[in-house]
Amino acid sequence: MSTLDLPGLSKRLEGLGLGPIPQFSEAQLLHKPLDIGRSYLADILGWLVPCDSITAYNSIQSPNDLFPTADLTVPLPKLCRGADSRAVAMDLIQRVRHSLPFAVYCGPD
């Protein structure tokens, strides 16, 4: 099975238990592997935060250096312009805790 095209990539990800890849015109799924995770994350953020998925996608920052880790970052002021970032963060933490059974939060209670 080839992953050199979107249908092949989608089929491979379905085999891992992931649903269809959320589609964003900016995403280069076949050339930038982190855009796959970025697309899924944007879709989740669009569901958790009162913003559209495109805004969520555009607010996610890719790492400057892929090694040793390749963490995606979501600056909350960019995600929710004009909102109190601390309040958004606390609300988001609560939503994640209650909405996503696989989420683990390691910060202060």
Side-chain angles (χ1 to χ4, degrees):
M1 177 185 335
S2 173
T3 57
L4 298 177
D5 57 15
L6 284 178
L9 177 60
S10 294
K11 192 145 192 87
R12 213 34 108 137
L13 292 172
E14 285 175 20
L16 296 173
L18 296 171
I21 304 168
Q23 298 296 307
F24 295 95
S25 59
E26 299 90 347
Q28 299 178 28
L29 302 174
L30 296 176
H31 303 289
K32 294 171 71 178
L34 283 179
D35 280 1
I36 297 167
R38 192 175 176 193
S39 295
Y40 282 113
L41 178 57
D43 191 52
I44 292 168
L45 285 172
W47 180 70
L48 288 172
V49 179
C51 73
D52 61 277
S53 295
I54 295 171
T55 300
Y57 183 87
N58 290 329
S59 69
I60 299 169
Q61 294 180 345
S62 295
N64 292 329
D65 186 7
L66 295 178
F67 300 101
T69 63
D71 296 333
L72 298 172
T73 307
V74 184
L76 293 180
K78 194 171 179 181
L79 181 64
C80 300
R81 296 195 186 277
D84 176 17
S85 297
R86 186 178 201 100
V88 171
M90 295 308 294
D91 182 54
L92 188 56
I93 289 167
Q94 291 304 316
R95 287 176 185 251
V96 168
R97 277 187 176 164
H98 294 100
S99 301
L100 303 174
F102 57 84
V104 176
Y105 174 70
C106 299
D109 285 329

